[in-house]
Amino acid sequence: MANSASGMAVHDECKLKFLELKAKRNHRFIVFKIDEKIQQVTVEKVGSPEETYDDFTACMPPDECRYAVFDFDFTTDENCQKSKIFFIAWSPDTSRVRSKMLYASSKDRFKRELDGIQVELQATDPSEMSMDIIKARAL
């Protein structure tokens, strides 16, 4: 079902992989991209549970927009193990204006397809999604 505002469809694999991350914890992260030719959000990369946040950030292209979800495990001040699922809208300043507009106009609709996101983050450069920011937003 395409979105009338942006005309963007969401590939079933996006929802499937997200459910695997959320329910089964098979994945540490998922990077999504918009395939402009077919007007659809697709899965670009899936990170295994062993991969780190650094592995995840290395997957973000320096001059192209992406959506991503990251399953962040952490320990609270009370020594409780917790995890939060982050939705990250990656829109670097160096990406094409058309691409930034497309990702911005499709974001809310795509996010609604992924039920269970706990924290949203918008980043235009790596410093805006540093581990310190992730930790601060998780608590």
Side-chain angles (χ1 to χ4, degrees):
M1 167 100 180
N3 176 0
S4 59
S6 70
M8 202 53 57
V10 177
H11 194 282
D12 287 341
E13 186 190 17
C14 297
K15 294 178 254 189
L16 194 69
K17 293 293 182 197
F18 180 75
L19 284 171
E20 289 174 1
L21 177 141
K22 183 176 87 168
K24 299 180 187 161
R25 307 203 56 175
N26 303 19
H27 315 301
R28 174 65 55 204
F29 62 84
I30 309 167
V31 179
F32 305 97
K33 72 181 280 189
I34 292 177
D35 187 329
E36 291 185 38
K37 288 185 184 74
I38 58 172
Q39 293 288 294
Q40 194 172 58
V41 181
T42 59
V43 172
E44 182 178 57
K45 178 162 178 29
V46 177
S48 69
E50 300 77 45
E51 292 194 65
T52 65
Y53 189 71
D54 288 337
D55 297 326
F56 165 66
T57 56
C59 294
M60 294 306 201
D63 54 2
E64 288 180 41
C65 301
R66 292 291 184 271
Y67 299 128
V69 288
F70 184 82
D71 187 4
F72 178 59
D73 293 322
F74 62 101
T75 306
T76 65
D77 294 338
E78 295 81 41
N79 214 22
C80 293
Q81 286 292 113
K82 290 204 169 178
S83 90
K84 289 252 172 103
I85 297 175
F86 277 75
F87 178 87
I88 298 170
W90 172 246
S91 184
D93 291 331
T94 53
S95 59
R96 295 182 356 257
V97 172
R98 175 176 158 65
S99 179
K100 285 191 251 196
M101 288 172 61
L102 189 59
Y103 274 80
S105 66
S106 305
K107 182 183 78 173
D108 289 339
R109 155 123 166 77
F110 178 59
K111 218 172 69 183
R112 277 197 301 273
E113 298 283 341
L114 308 178
D115 184 37
I117 287 167
Q118 295 156 305
V119 185
E120 182 183 337
L121 201 62
Q122 174 80 39
T124 58
D125 74 68
S127 69
E128 293 177 358
M129 51 186 261
S130 68
M131 182 48 90
D132 292 341
I133 289 172
I134 296 291
K135 284 179 182 167
R137 293 290 301 275
L139 296 173

